[in-house]
Amino acid sequence: MMKAKVHITLKTGVLDPQGKAISHALDSLGFDGIEDVRQGKYIEIRLAETDAETARSKVEAMCSRLLANPVIENYSIELE
Amino acid sequence: MMKAKVHITLKTGVLDPQGKAISHALDSLGFDGIEDVRQGKYIEIRLAETDAETARSKVEAMCSRLLANPVIENYSIELE
Amino acid sequence: MKAAVIVFPGSNCDRDIAVALEACMGHAPAMVWHRDSELPDVDLIALPGGFSYGDYLRSGAMAVHSPAMREVVARAERGVAVLGICNGFQVLTESGLLPGALMRNRDLRFVCRDVWVRVETTDSVFTTGLQKGECMRFPVAHNDGSYFVDDTTLATLQDADRIAFRYVTPDGQVTDDANPNGSRAGIAGVLGPSRNVLGMMPHPERLVDEAQGGTDGRRFFEGLLNALETAR
Amino acid sequence: MSAATNDAAITPEIVAEHGLSPDEYDKALTLLGRAPNLVELGIISVMWSEHCSYKSSRRWLKTLPTEAPWVICGPGENAGVVDIGDGLAAIFKMESHNHPSYIEPYQGAATGVGGILRDVFTMGARPVANLNALRFGSPEHPKTRHLVRGVVAGIGGYGNCVGVPTVGGECTFDPGYDGNILVNAMTVGVAPADRIFYAKASGVGSPIVYVGSKTGRDGIHGATMASASFDEDSEEKRPTVQVGDPFTEKLLIEACLELMATDCIVGIQDMGAAGLTSSSVEMADKGAAGVMLDMDQVPVREEGMTPYEIMLSESQERMLMVLRPGREAEARAIFEKWELDFAVIGEVTDSRHLTLRSGGKIVCDLPVEMLATGLQYDRPWETPAAPAPLPASVPALSVKDDLLKLLSSPDLASKRWVWEQYDHMVMADTVQRPGGDAAVVRVHGTERGLAMTTDCTPRYCAADPVTGGRQAVAEAWRNLTASGARPLAVTDCLNFGNPQRAPVMGQFVLCIQGMGEACRVLDFPVVSGNVSLYNETDFASIPPTPQIGGLGLIDDIGRMAQPAIRAEGETLILIGDGEGHLGASLYLRMATGADAGMPPPVDLEKERRNGDFVRGLIAEGVTTTCHDVSDGGLLVAAAEMAMAGGIGIALEGPEDAGWLFGEDQGRYLLAVPEDAVETVLKAARSAHVAAAAVGSTGGSALTLNGANAICVDELRAANERWFPAYMSGPVESGGDD
Ligand SMILES: Nc1ncnc2c1ncn2[C@@H]1O[C@H](COP(=O)(O)OP(=O)(O)O)[C@@H](O)[C@H]1O
Ligand SMILES: [Mg+2]
């Protein structure tokens, strides 16, 4: 059994309305010094798999076929 | 300048329809051995702050006041 | 009888509820901008539907921190009636005035349609004008309407008779199909511990005249306004 | 961009990357009398693009009728404006977002909605309704499900958040759109008739103000991005996709309407497809003025943005306006209240040039006229090939099965799955919800209703473009009429393939000819619209799709009609006649698996007579139940009325495919109380309108000549089944949510 931690983030330059709104809200709560906020997704997948190489290539495929939107998002994978 | 990486995940026991839908979709795409999928949020905050302690306590406050909803979510913070 | 509607950036049912209240009260409610920290002296505060702050991060999360909301919380604690519809319900759970949280719909899709709800308690200013067990037709329109509470809280709500409405079939059965969003125990509306705060996902303000296709919403508001008038 | 980069020589490669032909570039050199620099080249190429200059279409668009006594403003502004009484005007327009929606369905469709909303509120209207016409590829195509899901979620995601109800539209499937889906969005707004705002820059020295979101590097064209010099440190290929921010749009609507209630504004223009470039050029052109902009004042999202990028960015949720001098502070206060960016970025000049300054240097100086006038082509065209002939024989008719099959086919299946994802009731004035003929939205605070619809039958246009063009207009007019509305005017979105192919250009020319004929006879002028060409993949063009958006007015919503059967024991009357035309019908497609034959002819005089007659009956209160007969013919229309009302219909007539499923035009089904039947038939005779009793209402089943009973519940089950079942299949390619 392995656990994959997938981070999906917006590519540089892509507008992030959520991040913008969060940053704005933090500002108005009185937090200062906030330079930038970006929001992404974090997905944990538990896999019945023991081989790290196989697991990684499976999760790679999941990301490119389903989890991430290649037009505007990047993804990264960590295995445990 | 520091970067805080915040992970917001659903508490155990809280239903995660997004995670469930992903797991279902992966299944129907033919990925086998998927035991569980949970979806959370990943927020990156860039702060004009040099002291790690101050930064951490600021981000703690952001999480508890705004970023996470304690009724359903947990959060964790990493600083860079 | 005086009412106020709080307007957040991104509220979009503020006009709708103002029109409905005016139709039932005979005069317009006060519209209060979220930055105002002073509220007029009113018998009812309404938090409208919409997408305050775009519903970014979590529905209702950012609106809670507005100056007007601090005052709403204070008034609610003093017993003023507070009604949150849709996004207003989300703001109320985020503010802690109501328990639980509103999460993404079970089918992960926005849902806009008429639903039936059953009146579960008449022990509140909001529902005292209705019949316990009667079914009413209201529209819903939301992305995040799946009401979540943990087991303990659910038991408390049940024991204290604080569930105001449940989603039902037209003949009054609680079923999965009748539940548009996957809310726990079919909950469509809940009361706060002092019974003066109601949060509900359905939009009674969208059915207040025949041209809209029904008047169950009007009955709801008239019941509420009568009760408030009597209580004055 | 450094000045040095901007001064770099323009090579033929750079010209080609900007999509200008060598001839076009020569023309630019002649008009300018010198070589442009890079910023100027970018601006010229955008303004001379098909999208901005209408270079292939303009000549033909001019032939459409655009006037009527109730038209306040026809084509040429951001949207069309018509008088709707009580001192109010309706402002409306339709626009395509086809290509972006194919690349990134959620964001492409969402930003399409955002764009069309801005075209309407920039003229001073509060948007009151959205519609969307969607054409997808074959349901079996591997990308279709992903596209449907994303497009529908995107339209809902944007419209729901801004709080404008999405009340209608279309959604059909055809392999001809496999590689080029169509996403056409329409917005209708309402404004005081004496407070319409135009895109005009006037008053030398007046400040030019930028409001809304900051400018990012969104949507800067792929070709131009290929020049390394623009972005030497870019570590990844920058996406050209724009992301919509409906929350900001909502604030922008409120802020603009608040400012419009003052008299601060001289002219205002949304930043549409070509962003700051086209908005500033259009305003200067309309005001016969010049414009000077300081690039350093433009609010930007990223560091180091060059004038080239700033001028070509397609970032969303931005507006440009000219204010009366001295009113900046008042305007700024409103935008700051709504937490939006506000910046004075330039001023109106008398130079009739677009002049840009950056870092204290002039980086662009182009004559406005050259940019605004653009190019005009008279492209060769030919009549496209005739359709395949009707097959000699069609499989035998099986009424029940055929009806159930048609009702559960993709094109006729209920679109509930789609419109339940749209908030169609926000604003609390929706008095006819999606699912009927026209949607009706009450004019707030009055008893009037605005009826609206989108229509086009691409398979007719493909078979015979003139008839198809006529039919699209006639069907929109008919849908409005069926609700009891007086049709007022049309907006259109002309989606075609590559105009440089003569048969495609022929489709365009002939569809417009048909549209124009119908608009004239029906007194239904075109007041706004949009053209989308080059919808082609691997040399295969889409079916010609001149999408029509129709708007009509109901004086008293108490006298509105809708398709649901509301009472038992009423008589069903068919208005209009025909010979049972099966060419290009859905029945034929279902029965043979292919389209063949000519579309049903559209007799415009008859269309008008029949429609005027039906509208009269509705206005007199003779009937409130009316449905037009279109795709699928009479039996499908009757089934739709039964399903909507939950009451059965006993239909009587020949058991003949033509009568049951033929798509003859100009027809309506009405339900009238028994005691009104004779009066209606008599009135029809004197109006020279064909009318016949074809059945009665009652019971719980649809029957034909007392047999072939199908329960209304079974009809509904068949009709509701297809869409959710289809959408529950597997979807590839990421980015749900
Ligand atoms: N097919 C058409 N029929 C009528 N008018 C059209 C058509 N296409 C474009 N127009 C008009 O031409 C003008 C410019 O169109 P467009 O560039 O799409 O406007 P915008 O810049 O507001 O998006 C508008 O007034 C539009 O209504
Ligand atoms: Mg425009």
Side-chain angles (χ1 to χ4, degrees):
Chain A
M1 162 91 83
M2 309 202 73
K3 183 150 104 182
K5 297 178 167 184
V6 178
H7 285 87
I8 297 169
T9 50
L10 285 170
K11 292 188 177 171
T12 332
V14 174
L15 177 70
D16 176 10
Q18 309 230 35
K20 199 173 92 179
I22 294 172
S23 146
H24 196 82
L26 289 173
D27 251 9
S28 53
L29 282 180
F31 290 102
D32 53 1
I34 302 204
E35 310 241 305
D36 190 33
V37 178
R38 302 282 282 175
Q39 175 167 335
K41 288 182 206 157
Y42 170 64
I43 301 176
E44 279 182 5
I45 305 174
R46 285 196 299 130
L47 281 171
E49 185 62 65
T50 44
D51 179 57
E53 268 320 288
T54 326
R56 177 171 297 277
S57 75
K58 264 195 186 169
V59 178
E60 272 283 339
M62 292 176 197
C63 286
S64 64
R65 286 183 64 192
L66 182 79
L67 301 179
N69 177 351
V71 183
I72 51 175
E73 292 171 332
N74 292 325
Y75 59 84
S76 69
I77 301 170
E78 285 162 65
L79 278 180
E80 267 179 17
Chain B
M1 161 91 81
M2 309 202 75
K3 185 152 103 178
K5 297 179 168 183
V6 177
H7 286 84
I8 298 168
T9 50
L10 287 172
K11 291 187 170 168
T12 21
V14 176
L15 201 68
D16 175 13
Q18 272 142 316
K20 218 170 79 182
I22 293 174
S23 150
H24 184 82
L26 288 173
D27 255 8
S28 66
L29 287 178
F31 290 102
D32 53 1
I34 302 205
E35 311 238 307
D36 189 35
V37 179
R38 301 283 282 175
Q39 176 168 332
K41 288 178 197 148
Y42 170 64
I43 301 178
E44 279 182 5
I45 305 174
R46 285 197 298 132
L47 279 172
E49 187 59 66
T50 43
D51 179 57
E53 267 322 290
T54 325
R56 178 171 297 275
S57 73
K58 264 195 185 169
V59 178
E60 272 285 342
M62 293 176 195
C63 287
S64 63
R65 290 188 62 195
L66 180 73
L67 300 180
N69 177 349
V71 177
I72 46 172
E73 292 168 332
N74 294 322
Y75 60 84
S76 68
I77 301 171
E78 283 164 65
L79 277 180
E80 265 178 21
Chain C
M1 222 341 275
K2 291 202 214 107
V5 176
I6 314 290
V7 184
F8 302 103
S11 291
N12 63 31
C13 303
D14 44 330
R15 187 186 81 179
D16 304 359
I17 191 157
V19 168
L21 287 171
E22 180 166 1
C24 301
M25 288 194 302
H27 60 267
M31 305 304 279
V32 178
W33 183 236
H34 72 122
R35 285 221 203 113
D36 295 348
S37 47
E38 300 206 345
L39 284 183
D41 189 18
V42 292
D43 310 286
L44 171 70
I45 299 170
L47 306 184
F51 289 68
S52 56
Y53 295 92
D55 273 1
Y56 299 150
L57 187 64
R58 281 186 321 279
S59 306
M62 302 195 201
V64 168
H65 299 284
S66 62
M69 265 317 284
R70 278 196 285 279
E71 187 57 23
V72 171
V73 172
R75 295 284 177 97
E77 279 158 6
R78 274 188 265 143
V80 174
V82 176
L83 169 65
I85 295 174
C86 197
N87 195 231
F89 186 9
Q90 293 158 345
V91 174
L92 289 174
T93 56
E94 283 282 342
S95 73
L97 283 175
L98 291 176
L102 288 145
M103 307 189 55
R104 182 55 53 92
N105 293 345
R106 170 189 54 206
D107 297 334
L108 301 181
R109 290 195 300 273
F110 189 94
V111 58
C112 177
R113 63 173 163 93
D114 284 354
V115 298
W116 289 89
V117 299
R118 191 175 68 199
V119 178
E120 300 291 286
T121 177
T122 52
D123 181 13
S124 81
V125 71
F126 305 98
T127 52
T128 181
L130 307 172
Q131 302 288 317
K132 181 161 176 162
E134 76 167 305
C135 297
M136 304 180 86
R137 181 167 58 92
F138 295 141
V140 291
H142 57 250
N143 226 347
D144 300 314
S146 178
Y147 185 64
F148 170 82
V149 271
D150 60 33
D151 295 342
T152 329
T153 315
L154 181 59
T156 311
L157 291 178
Q158 267 155 346
D159 293 347
D161 192 26
R162 283 169 52 196
I163 297 170
F165 299 108
R166 277 197 165 91
Y167 300 109
V168 289
T169 57
D171 59 351
Q173 307 304 309
V174 177
T175 68
D176 261 2
D177 278 350
N179 181 338
N181 51 36
S183 288
R184 270 206 92 174
I187 293 175
V190 285
L191 293 164
S194 309
R195 317 192 78 79
N196 65 321
V197 177
L198 170 68
M200 61 193 289
M201 286 316 288
H203 287 274
E205 79 279 17
R206 292 185 181 187
L207 284 182
V208 293
D209 72 56
E210 280 302 343
Q212 293 164 324
T215 53
D216 280 1
R218 191 178 186 106
R219 278 205 309 121
F220 169 80
F221 285 112
E222 282 174 351
L224 165 60
L225 296 168
N226 277 336
L228 288 170
E229 191 67 58
T230 317
R232 264 170 86 91
Chain D
M1 179 184 319
S2 65
T5 323
N6 198 28
D7 292 340
I10 302 297
T11 64
E13 290 72 36
I14 294 179
V15 170
E17 276 170 7
H18 281 77
L20 286 178
S21 70
D23 283 350
E24 289 172 340
Y25 185 64
D26 280 347
K27 178 155 186 208
L29 291 180
T30 313
L31 287 172
L32 205 52
R34 61 175 169 88
N37 64 31
L38 209 42
V39 176
E40 292 170 333
L41 179 71
I43 288 171
I44 294 169
S45 75
V46 163
M47 291 309 298
W48 284 9
S49 70
E50 192 66 59
H51 190 92
C52 286
S53 74
Y54 289 87
K55 57 192 172 191
S56 304
S57 59
R58 192 160 359 137
R59 163 163 199 260
W60 301 101
L61 293 178
K62 280 193 217 145
T63 66
L64 290 169
T66 61
E67 287 174 6
W70 52 88
V71 173
I72 296 175
C73 173
E77 280 290 334
N78 283 301
V81 185
V82 293
D83 193 333
I84 56 168
D86 293 338
L88 297 173
I91 301 188
F92 68 112
K93 169 135 191 251
M94 181 157 41
E95 203 157 65
S96 66
H97 228 212
N98 303 336
H99 188 63
S101 301
Y102 185 80
I103 303 296
E104 207 319 90
Y106 185 98
Q107 295 298 344
T111 51
V113 174
I116 193 61
L117 280 164
R118 285 192 293 283
D119 269 335
V120 167
F121 73 77
T122 195
M123 295 194 74
R126 174 169 290 280
V128 298
N130 283 327
L131 294 94
N132 57 100
L134 311 178
R135 311 283 172 189
F136 294 105
S138 155
E140 284 76 45
H141 189 275
K143 282 200 80 157
T144 300
R145 196 176 279 116
H146 161 72
L147 292 168
V148 174
R149 186 144 127 175
V151 164
V152 170
I155 290 172
Y158 207 98
N160 300 345
C161 184
V162 295
V164 175
T166 302
V167 296
E170 286 176 282
C171 177
T172 62
F173 298 82
D174 185 299
Y177 303 103
D178 278 351
N180 298 273
I181 61 168
L182 302 184
V183 175
N184 293 179
M186 167 170 161
T187 294
V188 180
V190 173
D194 59 354
R195 299 207 46 89
I196 311 288
F197 289 81
Y198 297 98
K200 191 169 155 183
S202 58
V204 173
S206 298
I208 296 177
V209 168
Y210 169 118
V211 296
S213 286
K214 292 184 172 30
T215 296
R217 293 186 168 104
D218 317 74
I220 299 170
H221 301 285
T224 48
M225 289 315 297
S227 306
S229 54
F230 300 127
D231 196 12
E232 270 142 4
D233 57 353
S234 93
E235 69 288 8
E236 64 190 349
K237 192 162 177 289
R238 285 183 182 277
T240 59
V241 173
Q242 312 137 34
V243 169
D245 181 357
F247 171 56
T248 296
E249 179 103 337
K250 166 70 177 165
L251 303 183
L252 199 53
I253 294 176
E254 299 303 334
C256 287
L257 292 178
E258 194 171 324
L259 182 60
M260 284 163 167
T262 70
D263 65 347
C264 293
I265 299 178
V266 173
I268 177 165
Q269 164 76 31
D270 63 295
M271 294 192 215
L276 202 44
T277 293
S278 71
S279 54
S280 54
V281 169
E282 272 168 39
M283 288 184 81
D285 180 52
K286 295 214 172 97
V291 157
M292 157 72 93
L293 301 180
D294 184 351
M295 297 291 94
D296 302 336
Q297 304 306 316
V298 175
V300 290
R301 206 165 75 220
E302 294 181 59
E303 279 165 30
M305 284 189 63
T306 64
Y308 182 97
E309 291 171 326
I310 291 172
M311 291 305 287
L312 267 56
S313 161
E314 294 191 345
S315 290
Q316 302 289 298
E317 293 94 22
R318 304 179 296 161
M319 312 280 273
L320 195 66
M321 43 196 201
V322 176
L323 296 181
R324 282 184 215 293
R327 308 298 290 275
E328 296 90 325
E330 197 178 329
R332 182 186 294 275
I334 290 174
F335 283 86
E336 284 178 353
K337 167 185 165 193
W338 290 99
E339 306 182 11
L340 293 164
D341 272 296
F342 177 102
V344 177
I345 62 166
E347 63 178 39
V348 179
T349 67
D350 59 4
S351 68
R352 310 211 58 180
H353 273 231
L354 171 68
T355 316
L356 305 179
R357 208 168 44 209
S358 172
K361 280 195 187 153
I362 301 296
V363 293
C364 163
D365 188 21
L366 293 171
V368 167
E369 193 188 346
M370 147 185 191
L371 298 173
T373 309
L375 305 170
Q376 180 165 335
Y377 292 131
D378 188 2
R379 303 234 187 246
W381 61 276
E382 65 190 39
T383 306
L390 280 178
S393 70
V394 182
L397 178 73
S398 157
V399 178
K400 254 177 94 164
D401 292 352
D402 290 347
L403 176 60
L404 290 171
K405 221 164 136 186
L406 273 174
L407 288 178
S408 58
S409 66
D411 282 7
L412 289 178
S414 162
K415 301 299 179 313
R416 180 183 303 278
W417 186 92
V418 175
W419 48 255
E420 279 192 351
Q421 294 187 58
Y422 301 152
D423 188 341
H424 47 268
M425 293 184 248
V426 62
M427 298 184 93
D429 281 315
T430 304
V431 295
Q432 204 164 139
R433 299 183 187 178
D437 290 325
V440 181
V441 171
R442 178 171 53 192
V443 178
H444 191 68
T446 75
E447 290 305 308
R448 289 166 188 265
L450 288 174
M452 43 196 97
T453 179
T454 70
D455 292 283
C456 177
T457 312
R459 64 181 189 281
Y460 294 172
C461 298
D464 180 46
V466 175
T467 304
R470 279 189 197 152
Q471 195 274 342
V473 172
E475 186 172 349
W477 189 84
R478 206 181 300 145
N479 276 320
L480 299 175
T481 296
S483 72
R486 185 159 39 90
L488 294 178
V490 160
T491 181
D492 64 35
C493 193
L494 306 177
N495 308 274
F496 289 80
N498 182 345
Q500 300 187 46
R501 298 181 201 288
V504 171
M505 195 61 207
Q507 290 174 332
F508 184 79
V509 169
L510 296 170
C511 278
I512 288 190
Q513 182 194 318
M515 284 169 55
E517 290 167 4
C519 291
R520 275 190 192 88
V521 175
L522 301 174
D523 244 337
F524 200 28
V526 176
V527 296
S528 61
N530 174 247
V531 177
S532 169
L533 301 175
Y534 297 97
N535 293 286
E536 134 185 293
T537 303
D538 296 338
F539 307 114
S541 285
I542 57 161
T545 315
Q547 192 66 49
I548 303 298
L551 182 76
L553 183 64
I554 300 177
D555 292 322
D556 174 6
I557 51 171
R559 290 269 165 104
M560 173 180 81
Q562 46 75 54
I565 301 289
R566 294 205 254 211
E568 308 226 356
E570 294 197 327
T571 299
L572 206 63
I573 295 181
L574 174 65
I575 303 293
D577 54 3
E579 74 259 8
H581 189 102
L582 286 175
S585 67
L586 281 183
Y587 174 80
L588 194 73
R589 179 185 280 187
M590 177 209 70
T592 68
D595 290 336
M598 290 295 274
V602 180
D603 177 337
L604 292 166
E605 298 294 344
K606 199 199 269 184
E607 184 78 53
R608 170 140 199 175
R609 252 190 338 266
N610 294 359
D612 289 348
F613 178 72
V614 166
R615 193 176 318 107
L617 292 181
I618 298 170
E620 286 160 24
V622 176
T623 181
T624 56
T625 300
C626 178
H627 187 27
D628 75 306
V629 178
S630 58
D631 280 345
L634 182 64
L635 191 58
V636 166
E640 286 169 346
M641 296 172 81
M643 291 188 286
I647 295 178
I649 290 177
L651 204 60
E652 272 152 41
E655 294 190 20
D656 152 87
W659 193 74
L660 291 167
F661 297 112
E663 296 177 3
D664 304 80
Q665 297 292 295
R667 299 189 300 161
Y668 302 80
L669 276 175
L670 311 174
V672 299
E674 195 95 56
D675 57 8
V677 175
E678 267 321 305
T679 329
V680 169
L681 295 180
K682 205 168 134 213
R685 271 192 302 277
S686 48
H688 304 288
V689 165
V694 293
S696 57
T697 68
S700 59
L702 176 67
T703 62
L704 177 60
N705 300 325
N708 285 306
I710 312 179
C711 272
V712 175
D713 289 342
E714 191 182 349
L715 292 172
R716 273 193 188 145
N719 191 229
E720 296 292 347
R721 179 188 325 131
W722 185 81
F723 222 110
Y726 174 67
M727 291 310 298
S728 66
V731 183
E732 294 235 0
S733 180
D736 264 347
D737 194 29

